[in-house]
Amino acid sequence: MDAPQIKHNTGLVNLDCKLRAQSAFIDGDHRSAIYFQTLALGESKRQKYSDSLRRRSNLANIIQKVSECDVSKPCGEVRSAKSGYAELCKQCHELPEEWTVLQVSKEFTPLATCLMHEEQLKEPTRIWLTIYRCSDPMEGKRAEPILLVLDPPADDTSCKYPNFFEHISSIPSEVRIAITNNDSAASTTSSESQSDRLEGVEQLISSAVERIRDWLGPWSNLFVGKFRTPSMLQLEADIYNQVEKFCIKHRIEHIGQRLVSLVARRLDLLQDIHIYELCSSEQLNLDNARCVALYKFLVDLKKRKFIHVSDRIDSLPVLLVVDELLDSMPWEMIHPTSEVCRFSSFRVLLELYRVHKKRIQNGYLSINTNNCYAIINPDKNLEKMSARLQLFYKKWYPEFKLLVDKPPTEAEYSDMLNRSDVVIYNGHGSGLQFVNGESLMQCNINCVTFLFGCASVRLYSNGLFTEMTGTHQYYNAARCPAVIGALWVLTDLFTDIYSMVLVGNWIPTMNPKYATQDISTIDAVALKAGKLQFNKPSSRRFTIKNHSNLLKLMGDSPLASAVFPAVFLCLAQLLLLPVAALQKEMTISVAPGKVDCFFEEAKAGQTIDIEYQVIDGGHGDLDISFELAELTGRTIFADYKKSDNIHRFPVPYDGEYKFCFDNGFSRANSKTVFFELIIEREGEQEDAGWADIDLLEGLTPEEFYEMKVQDMEDAIKRVRNHLTKARQLQDVLRSHEARDRNVAEENYFKVNVWSFFQILVMIGVGMLQVFMVKSLFNNDSRAYKLLTKL
């Protein structure tokens, strides 16, 4: 089957690919179906956002080039289905093994050629779920992508919107009505207050999530990423082994074994009815006897293996490729505590991975946060937002650069994106009103971008036979590693508080005054009055805590995934640098004439503390040369033949540093050196503060209990910090004791050897004297004759 031959109207390319995918699936060619369905998502956009076109400065040339291009050869990569599928498998294996990569898309429907986008969103259509990468029990050549075709959810007459797709597509408009206070909204719901409408929207979203889970049934477990804890990995391996034995015994095919294994990883998340749906599914195609046997096996496995497993999901990230017609669904809420991010197409995922590959370790992308920029109220009509956020940023992050109540020029905005580590936009919409898409595409963005505005990453249609477009797609083309935005309309107060909580828990405060405060306890009432105050821990509205894992923070925040679905055009989670403090204590032996070096990474703003001491050198030779230097060769500190020293170095920028102990001046004596290395930020180990006892007055028993638990937690942290410092001091004292003992033992050895030598000399002298005196009284001795001659 050849690739699409559509010309001129690029909007038809996606439909043509979906049609070819459906034809291949009907013919039983699942590989071709997977390939064409992968192409269908964003195939035409590859022309608009290619490297050659995005660097053009003339927008008219871009439009002409796209409209006249033969899309059968858009980038030289569209090929036959057979070779294309083989290349797709290679690309899947190219991605980090830590990732779980899935694609959800709507099947082709003939009505798509005559329906507007809003009508297509509501059209009941089968869903194609493609598994690219996962925690596969059969990794290797047989671990190819898996395609599941799911029937659309049945209508539910008990819901406000019986049609499932209409239910999902109605959420943005329902949210807008609920938070709008204008007359039209009031007239349509005259008997309801705004709080009632908000509660109705919350129920609408919750019911939508439940309908998604019920519809997916056992396949919802495919949205659980790879496990990270040793206990869960061991449990997973045990389950895989038992499933494999069962499948071999009952002659279940390899594809069936893979699907059963993936679902069985977290059987505790499924009801028995869902397990039965798995056993009787068309994908497994089992007869009645094997279906019953598999059901009994899985139910028994659930009872035996998942008794003590926590409901909370602690797994590596899940990367979702989402069809534009399904983009408004809250996929992140299927498992709220899991780490999930979105991409518009598999091609986007692959390109971003290749661009940022060097910064990805263990499946995670590391981002620095030294240079941060915030744009506040650029439209100059949100005075309360401007006041609240200025108060927050100036106090919590005094080093942030702010642009307040002023629209940025295209040059300023582009410069922020090109030079900053983090750019935060707080205002109307997405900020695209201040820079056109052409200019944005020409940037090379490495910063994390927060778009805290209404519907900032929502997709909009531009007419019939055209793809839906959104702001984040321009950032996507500019290689932005992460875009965080909102799918729906939000109130400015909620947006402000949520942005403070999310950013404040991700990036530690730069103000020592608030080092012990928890931004999650911010007082909304005081914030309205222009004061930055914090509630007692028991009155938290949010439960998230400071963590460098941005995806984890999104999952831990209530309704975060529903309202801000973390439309990450990025590579799994973002790790805030610097990481946790590094502490090392080592005792090494440096051979004579040798140099031993150690290498450690440090981040800007951290401090390197190193203390060393020669505790043994042989024959009292307790000295060594030391050097702290950059990898470029620049020396920071250097000591020559010292027995001990302490150095402290504030790190000016990110880099790797080497610590060398040089014993090259010694020809015979090896040196035993103890050293302690600490790399941390100032104040990382400060004692946890105790709450004022007066704050406990007037609390309910439950609040009093929570406060006491918090006090106990603070006390434990204080004890832990004190124990850490005591252990460090004891290690230093132990090194002093070891050195003194080595010196004493060396002196003891010298005294014994010298004393033994003196005893030998005394015995020799005494024997000589006895011999000489005795010879004087013996006339026949040679000594007597020799002495008489003298």
Side-chain angles (χ1 to χ4, degrees), residues 40 102 136 158 199 244 441 620 764:
L102 309 174
D136 206 307
S158 63
E199 184 178 354
E244 181 181 14
M441 285 169 55

Side-chain angles (χ1 to χ4, degrees), residues 277-425:
E277 289 177 8
L278 169 67
C279 301
S280 59
S281 63
E282 295 181 0
Q283 288 77 11
L284 297 186
N285 193 24
L286 303 179
D287 55 37
N288 290 337
R290 289 188 296 173
C291 177
V292 173
L294 179 59
Y295 174 76
K296 292 181 179 179
F297 167 73
L298 293 178
V299 171
D300 178 67
L301 197 64
K302 175 183 176 181
K303 293 179 180 178
R304 291 188 293 108
K305 295 294 184 180
F306 294 91
I307 299 176
H308 302 294
V309 176
S310 172
D311 293 337
R312 185 177 182 83
I313 296 176
D314 186 11
S315 60
L316 296 166
V318 176
L319 282 63
L320 291 181
V321 177
V322 182
D323 189 345
E324 62 182 25
L325 299 177
L326 300 174
D327 191 67
S328 59
M329 289 190 179
W331 298 102
E332 293 80 5
M333 293 298 290
I334 295 176
H335 301 296
T337 58
S338 61
E339 301 173 12
V340 182
C341 53
R342 295 189 185 193
F343 297 83
S344 59
S345 69
F346 184 84
R347 180 181 179 84
V348 169
L349 163 61
L350 186 64
E351 288 182 350
L352 286 177
Y353 168 69
R354 288 172 174 173
V355 170
H356 300 283
K357 183 177 181 179
K358 294 182 179 179
R359 294 194 292 167
I360 298 175
Q361 295 181 353
N362 301 320
Y364 295 117
L365 176 71
S366 296
I367 292 291
N368 217 341
T369 56
N370 296 324
N371 186 16
C372 302
Y373 218 115
I375 302 173
I376 303 174
N377 186 29
D379 290 303
K380 299 184 289 186
N381 56 3
L382 295 172
E383 297 180 0
K384 294 181 180 179
M385 169 187 281
S386 178
R388 288 191 292 259
L389 292 179
Q390 285 189 69
L391 175 68
F392 169 69
Y393 285 120
K394 289 180 180 179
K395 289 193 175 184
W396 199 263
Y397 299 118
E399 298 180 11
F400 270 31
K401 300 175 183 177
L402 304 180
L403 182 65
V404 183
D405 298 336
K406 178 183 177 183
T409 63
E410 283 196 0
E412 289 176 333
Y413 202 16
S414 299
D415 188 63
M416 292 179 203
L417 296 173
N418 288 330
R419 298 178 180 273
S420 303
D421 297 320
V422 176
V423 172
I424 305 172
Y425 172 83

Side-chain angles (χ1 to χ4, degrees), residues 546-608:
N546 188 284
H547 200 287
S548 59
N549 182 343
L550 189 54
L551 282 179
K552 193 174 186 64
L553 286 177
M554 296 292 292
D556 284 346
S557 179
L559 294 181
S561 297
V563 180
F564 278 82
V567 181
F568 282 91
L569 305 177
C570 70
L571 310 166
Q573 86 185 52
L574 302 173
L575 295 182
L576 172 63
L577 299 181
V579 295
L582 169 71
Q583 297 183 14
K584 271 190 178 180
E585 298 167 357
M586 295 182 65
T587 301
I588 62 173
S589 179
V590 186
K594 301 294 183 180
V595 179
D596 281 355
C597 292
F598 301 85
F599 300 85
E600 292 292 346
E601 287 188 358
K603 308 302 176 183
Q606 290 184 320
T607 301
I608 297 176

Side-chain angles (χ1 to χ4, degrees), residues 138-169:
M138 307 176 70
E139 286 287 358
K141 295 182 179 179
R142 292 180 294 178
E144 298 179 356
I146 304 175
L147 174 62
L148 301 177
V149 179
L150 309 179
D151 292 330
D155 289 348
D156 187 352
T157 56
S158 63
C159 295
K160 181 178 180 180
Y161 298 94
N163 182 342
F164 170 76
F165 294 100
E166 185 178 1
H167 184 168
I168 298 298
S169 61

Side-chain angles (χ1 to χ4, degrees), residues 95 104 178 230 294 304 314 361 432 449 534 609 653 661 782:
L95 299 174
V104 287
L294 179 59
R304 291 188 293 108
D314 186 11
Q361 295 181 353
L432 200 62
T449 306
F534 301 91
D609 287 298
Y653 44 80
F661 296 93
R782 293 181 180 180

Side-chain angles (χ1 to χ4, degrees), residues 476-546:
N476 173 3
R479 307 298 187 258
C480 179
V483 179
I484 299 90
L487 283 180
W488 307 324
V489 176
L490 303 166
T491 62
D492 57 344
L493 177 61
F494 180 85
T495 306
D496 293 347
I497 295 177
Y498 183 75
S499 63
M500 295 177 192
V501 171
L502 182 61
V503 178
N505 277 281
W506 185 48
I507 306 177
T509 179
M510 300 173 182
N511 189 343
K513 178 181 177 181
Y514 298 103
T516 59
Q517 293 288 354
D518 183 358
I519 190 62
S520 301
T521 63
I522 190 169
D523 190 334
V525 177
L527 188 65
K528 285 184 176 181
K531 298 179 181 179
L532 189 62
Q533 295 181 358
F534 301 91
N535 295 319
K536 304 179 183 69
S538 59
S539 59
R540 291 184 182 183
R541 182 179 179 183
F542 297 96
T543 58
I544 61 178
K545 295 183 179 180
N546 188 284

